[in-house]
Amino acid sequence: MPDLPPTPEIGLPLWLLAELTYRCPLQCPYCSNPLDFAEQGKELSTEQWIKVFREAREMGAAQLGFSGGEPLVRQDLAELIAEARKLGFYTNLITSGIGLTEQKISDFKKAGLDHIQISFQASDEQVNNLLAGSKKAFAQKLEMARAVKAHGYPMVLNFVTHRHNIDKIDRIIELCIALEADFVELATCQFYGWAQLNRVGLLPTQEQLVRAERITNEYRAKLEAEGHPCKLIFVTPDYYEERPKACMNGWGSIFLTVTPDGTALPCHGARQMPVQFPNVRDHSMQHIWYDSFGFNRFRGYDWMPEPCRSCDEKEKDFGGCRCQAFMLTGDASNTDPVCSKSEHHGMILQAREEAEHATQTIEQLAFRNERNSRLIAKG
């Protein structure tokens, strides 16, 4: 057996993601929420969330993201933002923009919100609304993006790209420039939750990806030459990499998610795994982060099988994504199949090949809604 490096000391949970709710007015077929979200337990109360924030802040958490579902459906959102501000968090609202109003933007500003990120489904109104499942979504997003900018927030936009919209990457970027975006995340689908269910219909081809990245780089060069402040971030899907990402900078390293019912996770995709994760209703954040089985399960290197155990890159990628290993192989301890050293890498190669011949339309995707979620939960 090879000598393993010493297990790193457990760091601070610097980045807290509060998934306030799984409720959402949209039904995006690439949502990262669990497939059985409709069967999850009762949401945490305002007081319970504030307790989570307080305990996490005492442990060193610095950034707090409000997510969902759609966090705007929570009537106590402004109160939660205000409490987070009092505690000293940098706060970020991750929203579809549906349900946002000028008044809410003003209220959130007064409460101390630092940052609003609005997501779009496409640059084309018809495609955007088809993916979102709402005929009014695109117009609402445009209006609220402009309102966010008018209220003095940095303009941060997120476009999830996939085979049905990535060929319009130039139009997406042009829309972002027209909206005076400061930061744009062009994030190709990562295949968890509903995106994994719809992978065959969403994964772009390699040719599509290469073209999209080339166009993005051309726009980057043009914007830089013009002194334009807009920053473009292009995210490639794991399925076109040969080495895995250092997922969340390592399991239980800096990232902590609390789901709507209080389950605490080391990443937002981990709920699907056959691991007993603690709940904030039953345990303190201190116990959850440092002592719980779930958060210690894949820390360090002792859990690693070969070839990870002998790999000279294990301190760089920490064995890759445990959720991806579980989804694709049924065993979260396996080497992430994205890695070309994995015995399961053929599954990734097969997915790339399937993308070359996929014919599934948007209408044929499984949309994220309560009806479909309940059907999936029933098996």
Side-chain angles (χ1 to χ4, degrees), residues 333-352:
S333 298
N334 280 333
T335 301
D336 187 338
V338 164
C339 184
S340 62
K341 297 180 182 182
S342 167
E343 64 177 308
H344 301 287
H345 188 61
M347 302 177 77
I348 299 297
L349 300 179
Q350 181 181 346
R352 294 177 193 172

Side-chain angles (χ1 to χ4, degrees), residues 216-234:
T216 301
N217 287 334
E218 289 170 357
Y219 269 96
R220 281 179 179 147
K222 178 183 176 183
L223 292 169
E224 185 176 357
E226 295 173 353
H228 198 288
C230 182
K231 304 297 181 186
L232 304 177
I233 302 164
F234 188 89

Side-chain angles (χ1 to χ4, degrees), residues 98-232:
I98 307 303
L100 195 59
T101 63
E102 289 264 9
Q103 184 60 55
K104 285 183 179 179
I105 296 171
S106 177
D107 291 344
F108 297 159
K109 189 82 172 179
K110 291 175 184 175
L113 184 66
D114 294 293
H115 178 123
I116 299 176
Q117 174 186 294
I118 294 181
S119 64
F120 280 77
Q121 281 70 32
S123 59
D124 174 87
E125 182 170 12
Q126 182 178 0
V127 175
N128 185 101
N129 292 347
L130 185 59
L131 285 164
S134 168
K135 294 180 180 179
K136 299 179 180 179
F138 189 72
Q140 168 73 5
K141 289 170 182 286
L142 287 179
E143 182 182 355
M144 287 302 102
R146 295 184 179 111
V148 165
K149 184 77 173 181
H151 279 265
Y153 282 104
M155 171 61 70
V156 183
L157 301 179
N158 170 269
F159 280 81
V160 176
T161 59
H162 43 79
R163 67 181 301 113
H164 297 291
N165 66 4
I166 198 168
D167 291 334
K168 302 290 179 63
I169 196 82
D170 52 343
R171 296 187 188 180
I172 289 173
I173 295 171
E174 288 290 348
L175 174 61
C176 294
I177 293 170
L179 289 171
E180 301 180 75
D182 297 292
F183 297 93
V184 179
E185 185 178 32
L186 303 165
T188 315
C189 259
Q190 300 296 338
F191 292 93
Y192 303 92
W194 293 81
Q196 175 63 14
L197 182 67
N198 288 305
R199 178 186 56 76
V200 173
L202 292 174
L203 183 65
T205 66
Q206 188 150 26
E207 182 181 355
Q208 284 182 300
L209 269 174
V210 168
R211 176 182 177 274
E213 189 162 15
R214 174 181 58 77
I215 291 172
T216 301
N217 287 334
E218 289 170 357
Y219 269 96
R220 281 179 179 147
K222 178 183 176 183
L223 292 169
E224 185 176 357
E226 295 173 353
H228 198 288
C230 182
K231 304 297 181 186
L232 304 177

